[in-house]
Amino acid sequence: QVLLVESGGGSVQAGGSLRLSCTASGNTYSPNSMAWFRQAPGKEREGVAAVFSGSGKTMYADSVKGRFTISQDNAGNTVYLQMNSLKPEDTAMYYCAAALGIAVLGELLGRFPERHEYNFWGQGTQVTVSS
């Protein structure tokens, strides 16, 4: 079993910053990939940022590119999301995801990974950006 523990969510004014953290614990090896997804009420869950541990390559949604930065620790099982210049449209539940023991086709195919390419998920942390 793998447990993803998230922290850092909260409320912030537009233009502010937040830093989310997520650590995968349990009897695991370093995940192949870790990512952040988000879901706003009435909308589908969308990928925000992903990092591929083997290559160190990162991917971002166009809507956050240049504002958000994903990073991981040396062990590769902790991922961070630095969110700067936050906008009201960034308001959503943010979910940490990890891929362990399964292929992450998104990296190979050059697209953001789909939800099913991650087999472990955090509980979600709310990010609210007020105007």
Side-chain angles (χ1 to χ4, degrees), residues 7-9 18-22 36 79-81 83 94 125 127:
S7 64
L18 286 173
R19 187 176 189 237
L20 307 183
S21 300
C22 174
W36 292 94
V79 65
Y80 306 92
L81 185 67
M83 304 184 292
Y94 283 70
T125 183
V127 172

Side-chain angles (χ1 to χ4, degrees), residues 29-92:
Y29 48 86
S30 180
N32 296 329
S33 176
M34 297 187 73
W36 292 94
F37 289 72
R38 68 185 182 187
Q39 186 169 21
K43 300 179 65 176
E44 292 194 13
R45 191 171 301 185
E46 63 174 345
V48 176
V51 60
F52 305 99
S53 299
S55 64
K57 184 179 179 180
T58 58
M59 288 186 178
Y60 297 92
D62 289 341
S63 60
V64 307
K65 194 171 185 178
R67 299 188 296 119
F68 291 10
T69 302
I70 189 170
S71 61
Q72 58 184 343
D73 66 2
N74 292 334
N77 62 345
T78 299
V79 65
Y80 306 92
L81 185 67
Q82 179 67 46
M83 304 184 292
N84 297 326
S85 302
L86 283 162
K87 304 176 180 179
E89 49 263 46
D90 295 319
T91 296

